[in-house]
Amino acid sequence: MFSCRSFLLLLLNVCSLTAPSLALPFEQRGFWDFAMDGDVGDLTTVMMRDEEGSAVEELPPDVSLCPFGCHCQLNVVQCSDLSLIVVPKEIPRDTKLLDLQNNRITELKENDFKGLTNLYALSLVNNKISKVHPRTFVPLLHLKKLYFSRNLLTVVPKNLPPSLVELRIHDNRIKKVAEGTFSGLGSMNCIEMGGNPIQNSGFEPGAFKGLKLNYLRISESKLTGIPKDLPDSLHELHLDNNQIQAIELEDLSRYKHLYRLGLGFNHIRMIEKGSLSYVPNLRELHLENNRLTRVPMGLPDMKYLQVVYLHSNNISRVEVNDFCPLGFGMKRSFYNGISLYGNPVNYWEVQPATFRCVGDRLAIQFGNYKK
């Protein structure tokens, strides 16, 4: 069973994305890997301050108020890995963090969370939930984080709490996001919904209406193109591991605030000229493991671009002006990462001036090409 400390560490990894991320190529990670991104010291104290602005004193344990088999301490109730088939009764009303992951719960009923008005974070990961009553979440007036991944949901649950900031609902069976699904969720900052068998046609017009997201991931799905009508506030958009075949001229026209764009492991053969001009603030671009035959046009005009992943494509030639602008001083940020390995390009044929706007030569990655 995971410790209380591990659970709190997980919940501290909020998707606040006001600054560009300069990480390694993204890989879909396990649920608990979200907890491995930082050292936060006294986790319990920090967690409580995140919600109320002040630490909560540890209360003497009251076994009678703790569901059988669960562990209750410091407003945290851990009921994971107990083979539960329903949400347990007698959950203390002052609970802030409720961990129900790794059980066999199949349904959430209307009164499962009745009285838990102080609940801040709820983990239902890795159950067998396929049915959620429309009023299940009504009592959760202060819920900020909802982890619903690895269940059997076919739709996003209705009437999510307006206070919600972070929703992780990846690895379910969702095929459709209806209009108004996220209505009233103006505080939402982060949605992770990868690993669902959803196609472009599954997103109805207005599905994301009203959202001011910073972070959205729809990876490992069945998308054949960049979805239309996503929130124009996005700073990070991850569409890795889909079936996207091209980036057309206006596909990115809504997303002028993007810092990081993940399109790796798709089937992209063509990026239309001018399409990247709509994302002038982009810092990091992932196009690895696609079917590109040349470096995308428009990279020299991207003043802030610092990381470009182009490895494992079909690029056979790199021109001297593919990455850097002609004029001196036109690029505001030098590159600190360009990956070109796994392409049929002879690195000795690439002119050194091609990388004149790279901060460190070690940031350029060539490698052997194997057919």
Side-chain angles (χ1 to χ4, degrees):
M1 181 184 297
F2 288 101
S3 68
C4 177
R5 180 182 177 89
S6 298
F7 180 60
L8 290 172
L9 181 55
L10 162 71
L11 295 169
L12 283 168
N13 183 35
V14 185
C15 294
S16 56
L17 304 166
T18 54
S21 173
L22 299 175
L24 293 173
F26 175 82
E27 294 181 5
Q28 184 93 13
R29 301 184 293 177
F31 177 76
W32 286 103
D33 291 336
F34 286 110
M36 305 305 177
D37 294 337
D39 182 5
V40 293
D42 188 337
L43 300 174
T44 301
T45 300
V46 174
M47 188 66 232
M48 295 302 106
R49 283 177 177 168
D50 184 33
E51 168 62 6
E52 294 187 343
S54 62
V56 175
E57 295 182 2
E58 182 172 357
L59 301 175
D62 188 343
V63 177
S64 64
L65 294 179
C66 192
F68 178 77
C70 300
H71 177 74
C72 302
Q73 185 178 15
L74 255 171
N75 305 111
V76 176
V77 177
Q78 268 195 294
C79 301
S80 59
D81 302 276
L82 296 176
S83 298
L84 300 174
I85 59 174
V86 295
V87 175
K89 307 295 183 183
E90 299 181 353
I91 298 173
R93 290 186 174 237
D94 62 350
T95 300
K96 290 185 176 292
L97 313 178
L98 176 57
D99 179 8
L100 292 168
Q101 68 175 322
N102 301 329
N103 282 294
R104 299 177 183 175
I105 300 170
T106 60
E107 178 182 356
L108 297 183
K109 299 177 181 179
E110 179 177 2
N111 295 319
D112 277 348
F113 304 115
K114 185 178 180 179
L116 301 182
T117 56
N118 294 317
L119 197 64
Y120 176 88
L122 172 61
S123 175
L124 294 159
V125 173
N126 197 28
N127 276 278
K128 300 181 182 298
I129 300 169
S130 60
K131 185 178 180 180
V132 180
H133 191 279
R135 296 186 58 82
T136 293
F137 299 112
V138 170
L140 307 182
L141 302 179
H142 298 98
L143 191 70
K144 300 286 187 182
K145 299 166 182 282
L146 177 57
Y147 299 111
F148 224 134
S149 304
R150 300 183 191 138
N151 277 282
L152 304 176
L153 298 174
T154 57
V155 296
V156 179
K158 295 181 179 180
N159 301 320
L160 294 173
S163 57
L164 205 61
V165 172
E166 181 178 347
L167 173 64
R168 298 191 182 272
I169 198 166
H170 56 86
D171 293 302
N172 275 275
R173 298 180 180 180
I174 297 170
K175 294 184 178 181
K176 180 181 179 181
V177 181
E179 178 183 3
T181 292
F182 300 109
S183 62
L185 301 178
S187 298
M188 187 81 78
N189 180 69
C190 166
I191 295 180
E192 156 67 87
M193 57 182 306
N196 284 289
I198 191 165
Q199 302 178 0
N200 288 71
S201 59
F203 295 102
E204 291 187 357
F208 294 93
K209 185 177 180 180
L211 288 181
K212 299 294 182 182
L213 295 181
N214 281 340
Y215 178 103
L216 176 62
R217 184 180 302 281
I218 316 174
S219 58
E220 299 182 59
S221 298
K222 295 185 177 182
L223 303 178
T224 55
I226 295 177
K228 312 294 184 186
D229 203 29
L230 299 178
D232 58 10
S233 57
L234 285 171
H235 287 177
E236 290 206 27
L237 175 59
H238 298 274
L239 303 173
D240 315 88
N241 289 280
N242 277 285
Q243 301 166 23
I244 299 172
Q245 300 181 23
I247 301 176
E248 299 180 353
L249 182 59
E250 297 187 0
D251 279 351
L252 300 171
S253 60
R254 285 179 54 85
Y255 313 122
K256 296 178 173 60
H257 302 292
L258 278 182
Y259 286 146
R260 191 179 188 203
L261 176 59
L263 290 165
F265 294 87
N266 276 282
H267 303 159
I268 299 173
R269 298 178 181 272
M270 184 273 295
I271 299 178
E272 191 169 351
K273 183 179 180 180
S275 58
L276 294 178
S277 65
Y278 289 106
V279 285
N281 297 308
L282 202 65
R283 268 67 167 174
E284 186 169 334
L285 177 60
H286 290 248
L287 286 164
E288 71 274 13
N289 290 88
N290 277 285
R291 300 174 183 178
L292 297 172
T293 58
R294 59 159 299 161
V295 176
M297 290 182 285
L299 297 186
D301 300 322
M302 305 184 75
K303 296 180 180 180
Y304 302 100
L305 190 62
Q306 300 173 39
V307 178
V308 183
Y309 292 98
L310 292 168
H311 55 269
S312 301
N313 276 278
N314 296 319
I315 299 171
S316 59
R317 185 175 180 84
V318 178
E319 303 291 346
V320 69
N321 295 319
D322 275 349
F323 293 99
C324 302
L326 292 173
F328 178 77
M330 295 180 64
K331 189 164 178 60
R332 301 291 179 87
S333 302
F334 275 21
Y335 288 102
N336 55 41
I338 297 177
S339 66
L340 285 162
Y341 63 88
N343 283 287
V345 57
N346 297 322
Y347 65 87
W348 56 86
E349 295 178 356
V350 180
Q351 299 184 41
T354 302
F355 304 112
R356 57 190 178 274
C357 60
V358 179
D360 187 343
R361 298 290 175 174
L362 294 177
I364 307 165
Q365 299 179 3
F366 280 103
N368 294 329
Y369 172 71
K370 296 181 180 180
K371 293 184 179 180

